[in-house]
Amino acid sequence: VRIAVLSGKGGTGKTLVSASLAAASGGQCRYVDFDVEEPNGALFLHPAIASSVPVIVPVPLIDTGKCDGCGECAAACRFHALATVNGRMLAFPELCHHCGACAAACPEGAISEACREIGMVEADSEGLFLQGRLNIGEPMATPVIRELKKRMPGGIPSILDCAPGASCAVMHTVEGCNYCILVTEPTPFGLHDLDIAAGLVGHLGIPCGVVVNKATEGDTSVRDFCGGRNIPLLMEIPFSREIAEGYSRGLLPAQACGEWRGKFRNLLRTALNGGRP
Ligand code: SF4
Ligand code: SF4
């Protein structure tokens, strides 16, 4: 079973919820940090990283001795990762999508494949913690996400802490999940982005529910949104100084307090049951 935790925008409490679910499971669920540009679940779960595997992608390597500057490869590249300037080839490997079209198009056989490291996948020894890291400046998270997905064996449920937003990377992460938890906050921005996240999950046909973080008394905006869309409101985490202070010190509510541990266990049970309490 795979449960994705996502939010339309950053800073809504997505990691608070996903790491709390993992902590409340007492080692019965795997936590996977798919927020590869800024993984921070480890700050709360304190895993002992036992393995680090580089994520390598193939990029074209041009043999300047064979290349006559014809530009066929640049014309074949749909991603503008190659260009000819005054008969000289220029490559922009960070834009490369590794499709191999350039090598196939080259009449001189001047293009071979080189390896390029773009990030890292790290894991603990028990298979309960996994995180991806994209190297700084790399624009494409998908290969790291693909590598993470390959390294999630069945056996125990996985909680997928997605990147913020509704990007291609989030789409790749959420694909194939059994249930999605959408984390939001009761602000106009929060609602706007919740709408986008709900649209993405609906498009993929995955059942979902909503968790409101920083909920304030009397504000029914998220409840009304959920009612209008027939999406269950699963939990409200209040706007609380105590929770915020604990979080800033790396302490999750599910670690600090028995009542919250119980609430997150219930939330986990609901998510594992596909939304049924
Ligand atoms: S492998 Fe594909 S994306 Fe990369 S440079 Fe060649 S044609 Fe462009
Ligand atoms: S297609 Fe081959 S020969 Fe032509 S510019 Fe590209 S690398 Fe050079």
Side-chain angles (χ1 to χ4, degrees):
V1 177
R2 293 181 176 188
I3 300 164
V5 180
L6 62 155
S7 64
K9 72 179 192 66
T12 48
K14 180 179 53 58
T15 297
L16 180 147
V17 171
S18 42
S20 290
L21 287 169
S25 81
Q28 301 305 304
C29 287
R30 174 189 301 117
Y31 169 89
V32 191
D33 204 335
F34 278 88
D35 190 357
V36 299
E37 284 184 40
E38 211 177 340
N40 61 355
L43 297 175
F44 304 97
L45 298 172
H46 309 291
I49 298 296
S51 70
S52 296
V53 180
V55 178
I56 308 283
V57 292
V59 290
L61 180 68
I62 297 170
D63 182 339
T64 48
K66 290 183 183 173
C67 174
D68 64 6
C70 69
E72 294 286 328
C73 53
C77 181
R78 291 192 295 132
F79 304 101
H80 309 293
L82 296 170
T84 35
V85 177
N86 298 331
R88 276 192 58 224
M89 283 311 300
L90 285 181
F92 305 95
E94 59 289 344
L95 299 181
C96 176
H97 281 57
H98 335 297
C99 67
C102 51
C106 177
E108 305 299 327
I111 300 182
S112 59
E113 210 172 83
C115 291
R116 182 158 182 272
E117 185 181 322
I118 61 155
M120 193 73 87
V121 165
E122 298 171 318
D124 67 354
S125 58
E126 296 163 316
L128 290 176
F129 182 93
L130 207 52
Q131 71 179 4
R133 275 184 193 287
L134 187 66
N135 290 347
I136 291 170
E138 287 295 338
M140 257 185 295
T142 312
V144 181
I145 286 167
R146 219 179 283 133
E147 198 56 42
L148 275 174
K149 283 196 142 182
K150 267 199 251 161
R151 292 169 185 272
M152 288 166 47
I156 61 167
S158 293
I159 297 159
L160 285 64
D161 189 352
C162 300
S167 62
C168 214
V170 176
M171 191 92 164
H172 277 293
T173 307
V174 171
E175 254 176 352
C177 284
N178 304 84
Y179 193 75
C180 288
I181 296 175
L182 313 179
V183 184
T184 189
E185 56 185 24
T187 63
F189 281 137
L191 278 174
H192 172 266
D193 293 335
L194 173 63
D195 192 20
I196 294 170
L200 182 148
V201 169
H203 174 73
L204 294 172
I206 302 171
C208 68
V210 168
V211 168
V212 193
N213 189 26
K214 302 177 197 157
T216 47
E217 231 176 270
D219 188 320
T220 61
S221 54
V222 177
R223 191 174 288 279
D224 296 344
F225 174 91
C226 291
R229 295 293 191 90
N230 211 15
I231 299 173
L233 180 56
L234 303 168
M235 181 191 265
E236 287 183 290
I237 303 167
F239 189 68
S240 142
R241 189 186 174 105
E242 196 185 338
I243 291 177
E245 277 185 359
Y247 192 69
S248 70
R249 293 199 311 271
L251 197 60
L252 298 163
Q255 292 164 327
C257 148
E259 186 194 343
W260 278 104
R261 196 156 39 249
K263 287 182 181 182
F264 275 102
R265 273 197 197 125
N266 289 341
L267 177 62
L268 179 60
R269 195 175 312 123
T270 303
L272 291 172
N273 283 338
R276 291 176 300 281

